[in-house]
Amino acid sequence: MAGTGTDLSLEPTALTWPGRVGAALSALRRAPLVTSTVLAVLLCSAIFAPIVAPHTPTQIDVGNSFSPPVWHEDGSWSNLLGTDKLGRDVLSRLIYGARVSLTLSLLIILIGGGSGTFLGILSGYLGKTADAILQRFVELILALPTILVALVFVFTFGTSFTSVMFVLSPFLAARFIRIIRGETLTVRERDYVAIAQVIGSPTHRILWRHILPNVFNTVIVLATLEVGHLILLESSLSFLGVGVPPPNPAWGLMVSDGREFITSAYWITLFPGLAILITVLSLNLFGDWLRDTLDPRRRQL
Amino acid sequence: MAASEPILEIENLVKHFPGPGGFLQRSSVLVRAVDGVSFKVQEGTTFALVGESGCGKTTVAKNVLLLERPTSGSIRFQGKEVQRFSRRELREYKRAVQAVFQDPYSSLNPRMRVMEIIGEPLQVHEGLGGRALRMRVGELLENVGLNPVTGGFFPHQFSGGQRQRIAIARALALQPRLIVLDEPVSGLDVSIRAQILNLLVELQQNFGLSYLLISHDLAIVEHMSHQVGVMYVGKLVELAQKDEMYGNTRHPYTQALLSSVPQPDPDIPMGNAISGEVASPIAPPPGCRFHPRCPLYQETAQCREQEPEWREVVSQHWAACHKI
């Protein structure tokens, strides 16, 4: 049958791969320049830490302790940002610290965010009893003071990278569950989900093909924003001595180490503090930008 | 017309929802969305369910599509009770009964390509994939008047009318017997409504489809349907063959609805448009539900207190009203 005659005035440009890559690139070009640069530098230094860092971060040189940054009269080019009380190079420790902070945050995002997304979708889609039980758990977790629980947990199981990971993941998961559940509740009401049910699509298919892709923007944005939050948490924990154990270079730990000497050797605390500030700020700004970009109502295509 | 077997029989269908409840307490009120509705859809014909918004016609559709479970009453498909289907029968039912919804922007997943959207029922039921799937989707696109190359596009690249064609192609994919059309053109520009309606009529003739058409637009109903049922606050008030319904309207509510259809000739005076609000399905008026708005109501206790009987006023023409 010959249809009833509509012309198909479709532009096939957005279909081809070069077109899509181009679109992605032009979107990236509109990204906030400062923020992306900061994040790129951070990421590169974390990945290539052994190449970039001028010294080994744990190398102790007591004879060279409290050496000030290079712009001071008695500063040296060998330690650009000075050294701490054990003569370790602050810059190298910052660079390796980025590695620790980012790895930890990304792992927690993967574990906590991944499981939170999964449970949030289940909770929102299935509703009823499963939803009610899960939401009570979420409320419980969200009502707990994170730092306090982490303190107790780490004192019990010892300070280590994995302890921090284990104790922070549920908190992150809870935040994901809350938000992704809400998002799922709106997507669930779309007609294409009802049609999939009418067709008889199995539940796992509906979750995977219809719900997940339509809540994924939120997942990405949430993950970006939460990385900043996690770095802050990890730093707080390290500062309190229950984070990543010394002598690993973690930013929070560095701030804590330099605390006693803040009047005489400010650089030991100032630079890791600045690193935390700039990183978290950049991640938040980047997350805001990402949220706006992925929101179809704000996207100009 | 319509001398064939009924494909869908709905008998005394009731659907009550719990009403708005307070904080931490169960609601005590019931929303009587559908309160005893019976009709039959004959094989190969269109049954139209008409009424103002909130009268429960979409709830009937959702019950037929198994998106809601009826509070009571029965739905029979090809003579078999839907509620007592075995797993295999249920699967067959989901093949045989498809739907097209009102909003073509909400009924297509924005993250899937047209190929995947139309292919989904084929993948789920026939495990089709690869070339076979692409061929079949191409055929379906041609059936609804779209170019098969559009299979690679995303929904946002189409206009509203084209999207509705895609939704129709998806509904056709499994060669269904019955398609529930819930306001299929209400979301579209007036200029393309006729195209979609003609397409639906054409497909019905070519594939021998039966339609359950849900609409509030009497002009569309007149164009498409063979039988018409008029609903008011959860109940049918009149049911007849289309020509009988339009030529020999009995119920005052149907008359009011028909006279409120705008006429293209400005010299024809507007009929007595119905006044007042649709009654609430939480607390429907006692007696005849329509009496507070009824032009025939003359303060008689009968209309106020006694529910009118559903009776055959003329052969094959049912209505519920004390005054006729």
Side-chain angles (χ1 to χ4, degrees), chain A residues 149-221:
Chain A
V149 173
L151 276 172
V152 173
F153 185 89
V154 175
F155 272 130
T156 321
F157 295 98
T159 55
S160 74
F161 196 84
T162 33
S163 307
V164 177
M165 214 170 71
F166 269 114
V167 76
L168 291 185
S169 290
F171 285 98
L172 189 75
R175 298 169 75 97
F176 268 77
I177 292 174
R178 249 298 140 78
I179 291 169
I180 298 304
R181 169 185 176 264
E183 201 70 1
T184 305
L185 287 178
T186 61
V187 173
R188 185 180 77 165
E189 297 303 319
R190 302 270 154 79
D191 284 347
Y192 52 80
V193 176
I195 291 276
Q197 289 166 347
V198 168
I199 288 168
S201 288
T203 304
H204 63 85
R205 188 186 167 100
I206 293 177
L207 294 180
W208 182 249
R209 300 297 304 272
H210 294 287
I211 307 277
L212 182 64
N214 285 292
V215 300
F216 204 69
N217 280 353
T218 312
V219 174
I220 293 291
V221 172

Side-chain angles (χ1 to χ4, degrees), chain B residues 285-297:
Chain B
C288 173
R289 292 180 177 196
F290 186 56
H291 83 259
R293 302 169 78 189
C294 182
L296 301 182
Y297 174 57

Side-chain angles (χ1 to χ4, degrees), chain A residues 3-7, chain B residues 144 159 161-162 165 168 185 188-202 223:
Chain A
T4 20
T6 25
D7 61 323
Chain B
V144 297
S159 69
Q162 289 168 332
R165 286 168 189 267
I168 293 168
V185 296
L188 303 178
D189 285 350
V190 178
S191 56
I192 41 179
R193 285 186 184 176
Q195 292 175 10
I196 298 293
L197 291 175
N198 289 337
L199 172 69
L200 286 168
V201 170
E202 199 178 331
H223 181 76

